[in-house]
């Protein structure tokens, strides 16, 4: 049986792909932080605001694993994406870590971190 966090992770991916800022705002904790693959840190407003100049063409997650720790969950996966940033096409393969927390209003994504992978990297590659 799929957990609520697994379901919400899928909802989050779909909201990102569709640039659904209302859904993204609802899914993110107020103190959300994203650490990009080059180390840039964005708060919730700046991260959601990026969709004014950024759009996914495709977004696929694989090798998804979820670990629960009481009222927190860590999701690890590999994402392959094609996107447009200020009109420039990009293709990335990243390892993604998500930190979900259970709040009184439900599960929210509190942290997101990306690490670059080569296109040929697999989940079994050494760290």
């Amino acid at each position: 049986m799929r957990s609520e966090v697994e379901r919400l992770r899928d909802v989050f991916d779909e909201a990102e792909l569709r640039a659904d800022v209302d859904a993204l705002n609802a899914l993110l904790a107020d103190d959300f932080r994203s650490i990009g693959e080059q180390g840039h840190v964005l708060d919730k407003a700046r991260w959601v605001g990026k969709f004014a100049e950024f759009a996914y063409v495709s977004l696929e997650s694989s090798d998804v694993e979820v670990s629960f720790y009481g009222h927190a969950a860590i999701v690890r996966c590999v994402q392959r994406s094609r996107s447009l940033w200020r009109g420039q096409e990009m293709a990335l393969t990243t390892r993604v870590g998500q930190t979900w927390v259970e709040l009184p209003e439900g599960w929210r994504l509190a942290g997101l971190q990306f690490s670059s992978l080569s296109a040929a990297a697999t989940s079994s590659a050494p760290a």
Side-chain angles (χ1 to χ4, degrees):
M1 184 170 138
R2 288 173 39 100
S3 70
E4 179 67 1
V5 169
E6 289 168 304
R7 186 189 72 75
L8 288 172
R9 191 206 64 78
D10 289 343
V11 170
F12 177 75
D13 277 3
E14 186 66 24
E16 276 195 296
L17 182 60
R18 304 285 176 236
D20 184 342
V21 296
D22 291 333
L24 292 168
N25 271 311
L27 288 165
L28 302 180
D30 290 341
D31 61 352
F32 167 87
R33 296 290 184 272
S34 172
I35 302 172
E37 48 115 14
Q38 295 182 0
H40 301 287
V41 178
L42 299 178
D43 64 12
K44 180 178 179 175
R46 289 180 56 213
W47 190 85
V48 172
K50 77 178 182 175
F51 287 96
E53 300 179 302
F54 176 87
Y56 281 108
V57 176
S58 65
L59 178 64
E60 298 175 8
S61 295
S62 63
D63 302 322
V64 178
E65 66 177 57
V66 181
S67 301
F68 287 92
Y69 306 93
H71 297 283
I74 305 296
V75 176
R76 297 169 197 89
C77 64
V78 173
Q79 281 188 344
R80 288 170 182 80
S81 65
R82 290 186 14 247
S83 57
L84 294 172
W85 172 254
R86 297 179 178 164
Q88 181 179 348
E89 291 185 30
M90 299 185 308
L92 291 173
T93 301
T94 55
R95 187 162 312 276
V96 178
Q98 297 178 340
T99 303
W100 290 82
V101 293
E102 188 176 25
L103 302 173
E105 61 272 18
W107 286 95
R108 298 294 183 265
L109 183 59
L112 185 58
Q113 185 163 356
F114 299 89
S115 298
S116 293
L117 289 175
S118 69
T122 67
S123 63
S124 59

